[in-house]
Amino acid sequence: DSIRSLLRQAAEYRASVKASRFFRHADAHGRDAALYHATAETLGYHANPLAMRLLAQRMPLAALREHPEDIQALLFGAAGFLTPELHEKAPPDTREHLRHLWETWWKHRGRYESTHPVPWSFHGQRPANHPHRRVAALALLVHHWPAYRRHALARPFQPKLLSHFLHDLEDPFWSRRHTLSSAASSRPVALVGKSRATELLANHLAPLALQEDPGFDFGSYASLTAGTTNDKVRRCAIRLFGSEEAANPWLRKAAHQQALLQIYHDFCLEDLSDCQQCPFPEQLGQWR
């Protein structure tokens, strides 16, 4: 009970911070832009969240929606992925797609091309998480923006409907390819998988709903199942519980994982003494 109470307070605090960040962005740029940037950041996974946010800043949502038929070309061009070398590596059945993207991007590149490349990371990632697929997922969501926005910002908030919507998104090219130069795979691969949908809910949309939707309380938030346990959460668990086995009961819900991340951020990342001078044990003793 003590652990549950502590994690609830940490999760509520983290959710309020995330909601405040969204509200500040929305006040400055509008709710659509705030949702667009939050979505891009989440799609970046652990390796490319900043790169995806930079891409979203360079290629604003309003500009994309002015050219609904050119969304993929604009995003891939601004990302720096449309190069002659890529066309040469591509198998014959994808070159036509690349040619169409390039011819479309060529019309807009003078306005949106930057001399500073987006700092993409390509190492240590599963093929389904390749940056090409993350940009493709963002393009698909922009293409379906009215429906996506309606589900993401619905009041009352309905996480299951949003998850189903994200998981059912398909693209004739990207549902069977991992990169712009890869051959088609034998099986379809979801562009927005369950773990990304969960991260989007836990990091942005559920915290926002907690502030805006009276029917979505902390109990609703706490019922959201966690996605894949990433390396950062795993480090939190080992540091705070001593082992993954001891932490396992507290890694099954998204809110608990968010709480552990908040404690880790507030104490572990601020402590350079390898736990020797960390104030968390003393504060925990006083709190109990």
Side-chain angles (χ1 to χ4, degrees), residues 64-85:
L64 293 172
R65 299 194 69 194
E66 286 178 5
H67 307 281
E69 301 302 319
D70 302 341
I71 292 171
Q72 274 200 39
L74 287 168
L75 281 171
F76 279 112
F81 291 151
L82 299 182
T83 64
E85 295 80 11

PDB file of all heavy atoms in Angstrom, residues 64-85:
ATOM      1  N   LEU A  64       1.744  21.098 -44.241  1.00  0.00           N
ATOM      2  CA  LEU A  64       1.412  19.776 -44.769  1.00  0.00           C
ATOM      3  C   LEU A  64      -0.048  19.702 -45.194  1.00  0.00           C
ATOM      4  O   LEU A  64      -0.372  19.115 -46.234  1.00  0.00           O
ATOM      5  CB  LEU A  64       1.710  18.703 -43.716  1.00  0.00           C
ATOM      6  CG  LEU A  64       3.179  18.493 -43.371  1.00  0.00           C
ATOM      7  CD1 LEU A  64       3.305  17.533 -42.183  1.00  0.00           C
ATOM      8  CD2 LEU A  64       3.952  17.935 -44.561  1.00  0.00           C
ATOM      9  N   ARG A  65      -0.911  20.292 -44.416  1.00  0.00           N
ATOM     10  CA  ARG A  65      -2.330  20.202 -44.728  1.00  0.00           C
ATOM     11  C   ARG A  65      -2.719  21.098 -45.908  1.00  0.00           C
ATOM     12  O   ARG A  65      -3.793  20.928 -46.488  1.00  0.00           O
ATOM     13  CB  ARG A  65      -3.151  20.550 -43.479  1.00  0.00           C
ATOM     14  CG  ARG A  65      -2.876  19.590 -42.314  1.00  0.00           C
ATOM     15  CD  ARG A  65      -3.906  19.703 -41.229  1.00  0.00           C
ATOM     16  NE  ARG A  65      -5.188  19.198 -41.692  1.00  0.00           N
ATOM     17  CZ  ARG A  65      -6.338  19.408 -41.063  1.00  0.00           C
ATOM     18  NH1 ARG A  65      -6.349  20.132 -39.954  1.00  0.00           N
ATOM     19  NH2 ARG A  65      -7.467  18.921 -41.524  1.00  0.00           N
ATOM     20  N   GLU A  66      -1.855  22.017 -46.270  1.00  0.00           N
ATOM     21  CA  GLU A  66      -2.081  22.802 -47.483  1.00  0.00           C
ATOM     22  C   GLU A  66      -1.851  21.957 -48.742  1.00  0.00           C
ATOM     23  O   GLU A  66      -2.350  22.285 -49.814  1.00  0.00           O
ATOM     24  CB  GLU A  66      -1.144  24.006 -47.518  1.00  0.00           C
ATOM     25  CG  GLU A  66      -1.515  25.114 -46.552  1.00  0.00           C
ATOM     26  CD  GLU A  66      -0.514  26.256 -46.613  1.00  0.00           C
ATOM     27  OE1 GLU A  66       0.394  26.197 -47.483  1.00  0.00           O
ATOM     28  OE2 GLU A  66      -0.627  27.185 -45.805  1.00  0.00           O
ATOM     29  N   HIS A  67      -1.061  20.889 -48.588  1.00  0.00           N
ATOM     30  CA  HIS A  67      -0.716  20.030 -49.728  1.00  0.00           C
ATOM     31  C   HIS A  67      -0.995  18.569 -49.355  1.00  0.00           C
ATOM     32  O   HIS A  67      -0.076  17.776 -49.170  1.00  0.00           O
ATOM     33  CB  HIS A  67       0.755  20.208 -50.099  1.00  0.00           C
ATOM     34  CG  HIS A  67       1.158  21.626 -50.332  1.00  0.00           C
ATOM     35  ND1 HIS A  67       0.878  22.288 -51.509  1.00  0.00           N
ATOM     36  CD2 HIS A  67       1.795  22.522 -49.532  1.00  0.00           C
ATOM     37  CE1 HIS A  67       1.340  23.524 -51.434  1.00  0.00           C
ATOM     38  NE2 HIS A  67       1.900  23.697 -50.250  1.00  0.00           N
ATOM     39  N   PRO A  68      -2.256  18.174 -49.213  1.00  0.00           N
ATOM     40  CA  PRO A  68      -2.599  16.842 -48.706  1.00  0.00           C
ATOM     41  C   PRO A  68      -2.068  15.692 -49.562  1.00  0.00           C
ATOM     42  O   PRO A  68      -1.837  14.600 -49.042  1.00  0.00           O
ATOM     43  CB  PRO A  68      -4.131  16.853 -48.668  1.00  0.00           C
ATOM     44  CG  PRO A  68      -4.530  17.956 -49.598  1.00  0.00           C
ATOM     45  CD  PRO A  68      -3.452  18.976 -49.506  1.00  0.00           C
ATOM     46  N   GLU A  69      -1.858  15.908 -50.853  1.00  0.00           N
ATOM     47  CA  GLU A  69      -1.341  14.849 -51.714  1.00  0.00           C
ATOM     48  C   GLU A  69       0.176  14.733 -51.642  1.00  0.00           C
ATOM     49  O   GLU A  69       0.750  13.767 -52.170  1.00  0.00           O
ATOM     50  CB  GLU A  69      -1.772  15.103 -53.170  1.00  0.00           C
ATOM     51  CG  GLU A  69      -3.277  15.173 -53.364  1.00  0.00           C
ATOM     52  CD  GLU A  69      -3.976  13.917 -52.900  1.00  0.00           C
ATOM     53  OE1 GLU A  69      -3.443  12.818 -53.169  1.00  0.00           O
ATOM     54  OE2 GLU A  69      -5.054  14.015 -52.274  1.00  0.00           O
ATOM     55  N   ASP A  70       0.825  15.695 -51.000  1.00  0.00           N
ATOM     56  CA  ASP A  70       2.293  15.735 -50.989  1.00  0.00           C
ATOM     57  C   ASP A  70       2.883  15.473 -49.609  1.00  0.00           C
ATOM     58  O   ASP A  70       4.081  15.700 -49.391  1.00  0.00           O
ATOM     59  CB  ASP A  70       2.775  17.108 -51.482  1.00  0.00           C
ATOM     60  CG  ASP A  70       2.269  17.438 -52.872  1.00  0.00           C
ATOM     61  OD1 ASP A  70       1.863  16.503 -53.593  1.00  0.00           O
ATOM     62  OD2 ASP A  70       2.271  18.635 -53.229  1.00  0.00           O
ATOM     63  N   ILE A  71       2.084  15.018 -48.663  1.00  0.00           N
ATOM     64  CA  ILE A  71       2.521  14.921 -47.265  1.00  0.00           C
ATOM     65  C   ILE A  71       3.767  14.049 -47.116  1.00  0.00           C
ATOM     66  O   ILE A  71       4.760  14.445 -46.488  1.00  0.00           O
ATOM     67  CB  ILE A  71       1.375  14.399 -46.377  1.00  0.00           C
ATOM     68  CG1 ILE A  71       0.269  15.440 -46.282  1.00  0.00           C
ATOM     69  CG2 ILE A  71       1.899  14.056 -44.973  1.00  0.00           C
ATOM     70  CD1 ILE A  71      -1.001  14.935 -45.617  1.00  0.00           C
ATOM     71  N   GLN A  72       3.745  12.844 -47.688  1.00  0.00           N
ATOM     72  CA  GLN A  72       4.905  11.961 -47.554  1.00  0.00           C
ATOM     73  C   GLN A  72       6.156  12.584 -48.159  1.00  0.00           C
ATOM     74  O   GLN A  72       7.236  12.558 -47.561  1.00  0.00           O
ATOM     75  CB  GLN A  72       4.628  10.606 -48.207  1.00  0.00           C
ATOM     76  CG  GLN A  72       3.933   9.606 -47.314  1.00  0.00           C
ATOM     77  CD  GLN A  72       4.125   8.171 -47.804  1.00  0.00           C
ATOM     78  OE1 GLN A  72       5.196   7.795 -48.263  1.00  0.00           O
ATOM     79  NE2 GLN A  72       3.074   7.372 -47.705  1.00  0.00           N
ATOM     80  N   ALA A  73       6.029  13.129 -49.345  1.00  0.00           N
ATOM     81  CA  ALA A  73       7.191  13.711 -50.017  1.00  0.00           C
ATOM     82  C   ALA A  73       7.774  14.871 -49.213  1.00  0.00           C
ATOM     83  O   ALA A  73       8.996  15.001 -49.080  1.00  0.00           O
ATOM     84  CB  ALA A  73       6.796  14.172 -51.408  1.00  0.00           C
ATOM     85  N   LEU A  74       6.920  15.712 -48.652  1.00  0.00           N
ATOM     86  CA  LEU A  74       7.388  16.851 -47.870  1.00  0.00           C
ATOM     87  C   LEU A  74       8.118  16.398 -46.614  1.00  0.00           C
ATOM     88  O   LEU A  74       9.188  16.929 -46.272  1.00  0.00           O
ATOM     89  CB  LEU A  74       6.208  17.751 -47.512  1.00  0.00           C
ATOM     90  CG  LEU A  74       5.624  18.576 -48.658  1.00  0.00           C
ATOM     91  CD1 LEU A  74       4.297  19.205 -48.250  1.00  0.00           C
ATOM     92  CD2 LEU A  74       6.607  19.648 -49.100  1.00  0.00           C
ATOM     93  N   LEU A  75       7.568  15.426 -45.914  1.00  0.00           N
ATOM     94  CA  LEU A  75       8.207  14.961 -44.683  1.00  0.00           C
ATOM     95  C   LEU A  75       9.506  14.216 -44.962  1.00  0.00           C
ATOM     96  O   LEU A  75      10.519  14.442 -44.295  1.00  0.00           O
ATOM     97  CB  LEU A  75       7.237  14.073 -43.894  1.00  0.00           C
ATOM     98  CG  LEU A  75       6.172  14.822 -43.082  1.00  0.00           C
ATOM     99  CD1 LEU A  75       5.144  13.853 -42.524  1.00  0.00           C
ATOM    100  CD2 LEU A  75       6.804  15.616 -41.948  1.00  0.00           C
ATOM    101  N   PHE A  76       9.502  13.326 -45.952  1.00  0.00           N
ATOM    102  CA  PHE A  76      10.732  12.588 -46.261  1.00  0.00           C
ATOM    103  C   PHE A  76      11.801  13.518 -46.822  1.00  0.00           C
ATOM    104  O   PHE A  76      12.991  13.347 -46.552  1.00  0.00           O
ATOM    105  CB  PHE A  76      10.439  11.446 -47.233  1.00  0.00           C
ATOM    106  CG  PHE A  76       9.892  10.226 -46.577  1.00  0.00           C
ATOM    107  CD1 PHE A  76       8.582   9.822 -46.800  1.00  0.00           C
ATOM    108  CD2 PHE A  76      10.671   9.473 -45.712  1.00  0.00           C
ATOM    109  CE1 PHE A  76       8.065   8.696 -46.185  1.00  0.00           C
ATOM    110  CE2 PHE A  76      10.164   8.353 -45.085  1.00  0.00           C
ATOM    111  CZ  PHE A  76       8.864   7.956 -45.323  1.00  0.00           C
ATOM    112  N   GLY A  77      11.391  14.516 -47.605  1.00  0.00           N
ATOM    113  CA  GLY A  77      12.359  15.468 -48.117  1.00  0.00           C
ATOM    114  C   GLY A  77      12.955  16.314 -47.014  1.00  0.00           C
ATOM    115  O   GLY A  77      14.182  16.483 -46.928  1.00  0.00           O
ATOM    116  N   ALA A  78      12.122  16.850 -46.128  1.00  0.00           N
ATOM    117  CA  ALA A  78      12.613  17.661 -45.016  1.00  0.00           C
ATOM    118  C   ALA A  78      13.470  16.840 -44.062  1.00  0.00           C
ATOM    119  O   ALA A  78      14.378  17.372 -43.411  1.00  0.00           O
ATOM    120  CB  ALA A  78      11.435  18.284 -44.269  1.00  0.00           C
ATOM    121  N   ALA A  79      13.195  15.537 -43.976  1.00  0.00           N
ATOM    122  CA  ALA A  79      13.985  14.655 -43.117  1.00  0.00           C
ATOM    123  C   ALA A  79      15.354  14.359 -43.707  1.00  0.00           C
ATOM    124  O   ALA A  79      16.244  13.855 -43.006  1.00  0.00           O
ATOM    125  CB  ALA A  79      13.231  13.351 -42.892  1.00  0.00           C
ATOM    126  N   GLY A  80      15.556  14.662 -44.993  1.00  0.00           N
ATOM    127  CA  GLY A  80      16.831  14.402 -45.638  1.00  0.00           C
ATOM    128  C   GLY A  80      16.972  13.001 -46.176  1.00  0.00           C
ATOM    129  O   GLY A  80      18.093  12.530 -46.426  1.00  0.00           O
ATOM    130  N   PHE A  81      15.849  12.309 -46.398  1.00  0.00           N
ATOM    131  CA  PHE A  81      15.899  10.902 -46.805  1.00  0.00           C
ATOM    132  C   PHE A  81      15.785  10.686 -48.321  1.00  0.00           C
ATOM    133  O   PHE A  81      15.952   9.559 -48.777  1.00  0.00           O
ATOM    134  CB  PHE A  81      14.773  10.121 -46.112  1.00  0.00           C
ATOM    135  CG  PHE A  81      14.961   9.969 -44.635  1.00  0.00           C
ATOM    136  CD1 PHE A  81      13.860   9.855 -43.783  1.00  0.00           C
ATOM    137  CD2 PHE A  81      16.219   9.934 -44.076  1.00  0.00           C
ATOM    138  CE1 PHE A  81      14.028   9.707 -42.417  1.00  0.00           C
ATOM    139  CE2 PHE A  81      16.401   9.802 -42.701  1.00  0.00           C
ATOM    140  CZ  PHE A  81      15.302   9.679 -41.875  1.00  0.00           C
ATOM    141  N   LEU A  82      15.497  11.720 -49.080  1.00  0.00           N
ATOM    142  CA  LEU A  82      15.332  11.553 -50.525  1.00  0.00           C
ATOM    143  C   LEU A  82      16.646  11.906 -51.217  1.00  0.00           C
ATOM    144  O   LEU A  82      16.909  13.054 -51.561  1.00  0.00           O
ATOM    145  CB  LEU A  82      14.185  12.422 -51.034  1.00  0.00           C
ATOM    146  CG  LEU A  82      12.810  12.115 -50.436  1.00  0.00           C
ATOM    147  CD1 LEU A  82      11.747  13.014 -51.045  1.00  0.00           C
ATOM    148  CD2 LEU A  82      12.442  10.645 -50.649  1.00  0.00           C
ATOM    149  N   THR A  83      17.490  10.907 -51.412  1.00  0.00           N
ATOM    150  CA  THR A  83      18.811  11.099 -51.999  1.00  0.00           C
ATOM    151  C   THR A  83      18.978  10.194 -53.212  1.00  0.00           C
ATOM    152  O   THR A  83      18.344   9.136 -53.309  1.00  0.00           O
ATOM    153  CB  THR A  83      19.911  10.766 -50.981  1.00  0.00           C
ATOM    154  OG1 THR A  83      19.827   9.373 -50.631  1.00  0.00           O
ATOM    155  CG2 THR A  83      19.737  11.608 -49.718  1.00  0.00           C
ATOM    156  N   PRO A  84      19.853  10.566 -54.163  1.00  0.00           N
ATOM    157  CA  PRO A  84      20.112   9.696 -55.318  1.00  0.00           C
ATOM    158  C   PRO A  84      20.636   8.325 -54.918  1.00  0.00           C
ATOM    159  O   PRO A  84      20.309   7.314 -55.545  1.00  0.00           O
ATOM    160  CB  PRO A  84      21.163  10.488 -56.110  1.00  0.00           C
ATOM    161  CG  PRO A  84      20.970  11.905 -55.696  1.00  0.00           C
ATOM    162  CD  PRO A  84      20.549  11.851 -54.258  1.00  0.00           C
ATOM    163  N   GLU A  85      21.457   8.284 -53.852  1.00  0.00           N
ATOM    164  CA  GLU A  85      22.012   7.009 -53.414  1.00  0.00           C
ATOM    165  C   GLU A  85      20.915   6.044 -52.989  1.00  0.00           C
ATOM    166  O   GLU A  85      20.998   4.842 -53.244  1.00  0.00           O
ATOM    167  CB  GLU A  85      22.985   7.230 -52.252  1.00  0.00           C
ATOM    168  CG  GLU A  85      24.229   8.032 -52.594  1.00  0.00           C
ATOM    169  CD  GLU A  85      23.978   9.526 -52.629  1.00  0.00           C
ATOM    170  OE1 GLU A  85      22.891   9.953 -52.181  1.00  0.00           O
ATOM    171  OE2 GLU A  85      24.857  10.260 -53.109  1.00  0.00           O
TER     172      GLU A  85
END
